Amino acid sequence: MKNILQYKPVQEMIEVTSNLYRLGWDERNGGNITYLLEEKDVQEVIDTKKIICNIPMSFDGQALAGKYFLVTGSGKYFKNVKSDPENNLGILRVAEDAHSVDLLWGYSDGGVPTSELPAHFMSHIARLEVDPENKVVMHCHATHLLAMTFTHELTSKAFSRTLWEMCTECLVVFPEGVSVLPWLIPGSNEIGEATADAMKNFRLVLWSFHGVYGAGRSIDETFGLIETAEKAAEVYTYVKAQGGVKQKISDENFKELAKQFGVTPNKDFFKI
Ligand code: 2HA
Ligand code: ZN
């Protein structure tokens, strides 16, 4: 057996939670991450036949039955993942009954997976249908995006247009835009279903007055996606503080950009 602390997904999880904490996007127990793992890799670091405990889920995870995930713990602080990964992270396998998970490693003080497991697993199911290589779902309380949900019009179209206009790179990084959800109760199946529904068409979903969800093929890609949108929201904050927009990236510029980088902006938000 290889040392689990040398296992790349565990190392990546330590690094990204540390970065999210350092950036101030995951205070206290804020934020949660789920990372789909390859069975053969998991078998190299733990005995997958040894089940520590079985933890019920309140929704149907049939599409994920038998799949393995590295998941941040409920009530755990991202600040502490680096110094004690085995307590703050867990490796789970979705049980064959599809309504529970088997804990195979981690949560060493008797903990359980993130309270946002419904939103994460439902989002994985939605993303895997449109991108079989999707591996990561990440939630954090990115400061400027969160602030913008108090001051900006709360439609996906208006929000996406503004973010695209704040940094030239945005249209290239998230041409589909962002989906904006109204305020909903965290941890509920309702917010999970709404997030997953949005994830069929978007990799970035904003939870009004709460934070953001991102999905991607790797930790780097998902973090980079959130980071890019958050940077645009930060620029928006400065632009507002400096007295507002005096000139901007034109629709013509966007068309040239889309052509140059071979991306198709969301047709509902931008006419090419
Ligand atoms: O886990 O961020 O949305 C803490 C949260 C809930
Ligand atoms: Zn949250």
Side-chain angles (χ1 to χ4, degrees), residues 31-32 116 139 141 207 210:
N32 25 77
E116 301 291 1
H139 165 61
H141 301 163
W207 284 7
H210 184 147

Side-chain angles (χ1 to χ4, degrees), residues 25-27 29-32 115-116 139-141 186 207 210-213:
W25 302 344
D26 289 297
E27 69 291 341
N29 64 320
N32 25 77
S115 57
E116 301 291 1
H139 165 61
C140 70
H141 301 163
W207 284 7
H210 184 147
V212 59
Y213 263 73

Side-chain angles (χ1 to χ4, degrees), residues 176-197:
E176 75 272 42
V178 300
S179 175
V180 182
L181 298 188
W183 186 87
L184 292 164
I185 302 207
S188 63
N189 281 358
E190 187 193 8
I191 203 167
E193 282 155 14
T195 307
D197 197 45

